[in-house]
Amino acid sequence: MKDLQHVIPVMEHFSKHLDEITEYLEVFRSLLHLCSSPIKLEKSSEGLFKLKELQEFFTVLGYMIICVNNDNLRFLLIDVIRHHLTRDGPVDAEYVKLNLCHLAMECSLLAQIVGEVLELVSWNLYPCLLELAFLITTTSNRCCYQMICVGTIDTLLTRMDPDYYLQLNPGADILQKENFTEKDEMYSFSTALNILWILLKSIDNKNDLSHTFPAPSLQSLRSLRHQLRKETYQRNAHRRNDLLGVLILMLKVFPKMPLVPSGLVEDLALLSVASEIGTENSWAVNVTFEINQENLDFKKLLLISHCFTIKYRPIAE
């Protein structure tokens, strides 16, 4: 712990000059491996007195994810952070306790940085960073609020479908998805939904604070509409239902979001009557709903969404 104040500036120096001095690369990599080890205390009270240094340590690790231009180093940085926020096995009392690491991380800028970087990283790194974001959001509501304030909800919604995202952002060269497999897409979709649910629930549990958070943008809601259509058309019932569940929670905590201009209200109305009067001359003309539990749940979710839409209709319009 006493060495953190010296390690931090060394890490910052290496990360800023990696492109200029190639010899730094292996030294920096070795330093990161060393930093992934549990932090040792000389005495038990040292953790509290050195909390500021530990807080800065997490902030600097986050900033270095932005600074370095090498995805392999970014993977290593994320792994270092993960090692300090989890415990793979028992740790001796002479090392910093997990709850102290969580407290330092919560007081640092790490959550804010990760929320911002999610919009910028390559698809190759995206699943790994999502996993870190999930770990951070499950640790603290305060971290959830920090991530919401930097637009993480928008990012998660707009990056839900890589192909659709690249259609909307054709110049985003860093976000090309050559190495982004179908397995990566499925994992990212599932993790992003879990993060969205945690973020939205953190607001729902603090209704008095909801007005301080930015509502989802029109573009992100149109991305959600696209994804809901895609899952419905491809008959991915489980993913479709999960999406609608997230939308319902969004309707509850963000009554002022631009729901009508996004086209979601129109789609919800169409799907709610699909099994009764059909979907002729619409995008869902070939969609059918078999009689099973997942489709029954979907019908129930549609009815709940209508209740929220009607409740907040004057605001939504």
Side-chain angles (χ1 to χ4, degrees), residues 78 114 118 121 123 125-137 147 152 155-156 159-160 180 184-196:
I78 292 171
V114 170
L118 278 170
V121 295
W123 289 105
L125 189 65
Y126 189 59
C128 186
L129 194 63
L130 277 177
E131 187 176 349
L132 177 61
F134 177 74
L135 177 60
I136 291 172
T137 54
M147 295 184 77
T152 302
T155 299
L156 295 174
R159 293 196 70 167
M160 199 162 280
F180 196 71
D184 290 332
E185 190 275 332
M186 293 178 65
Y187 178 79
S188 297
F189 179 90
S190 174
T191 309
L193 273 186
N194 287 332
I195 296 171
L196 280 168

Side-chain angles (χ1 to χ4, degrees), residues 71-124:
D71 271 359
N72 289 327
L73 288 178
R74 291 189 178 109
F75 279 119
L76 188 53
L77 283 163
I78 292 171
D79 200 47
V80 171
I81 298 170
R82 186 190 66 79
H83 272 90
H84 289 292
L85 297 181
T86 59
R87 288 288 188 265
D88 296 328
V91 176
D92 293 340
E94 62 183 352
Y95 294 101
V96 174
K97 293 182 179 179
L98 185 60
N99 64 340
L100 196 62
C101 287
H102 286 173
L103 177 61
M105 184 274 295
E106 182 180 336
C107 296
S108 74
L109 297 178
L110 180 63
Q112 177 182 331
I113 295 167
V114 170
E116 292 174 336
V117 174
L118 278 170
E119 185 180 3
L120 306 173
V121 295
S122 66
W123 289 105
N124 184 41

Side-chain angles (χ1 to χ4, degrees), residues 8-25:
I8 290 170
V10 173
M11 292 171 65
E12 289 181 302
H13 175 78
F14 281 151
S15 66
K16 291 177 182 177
H17 299 283
L18 284 174
D19 294 336
E20 304 167 13
I21 307 174
T22 56
E23 290 81 3
Y24 277 1
L25 181 59

Side-chain angles (χ1 to χ4, degrees), residues 233 270 278-288:
Y233 194 80
L270 174 67
T279 54
E280 189 175 353
N281 298 323
S282 74
W283 63 270
V285 64
N286 294 320
V287 174
T288 58

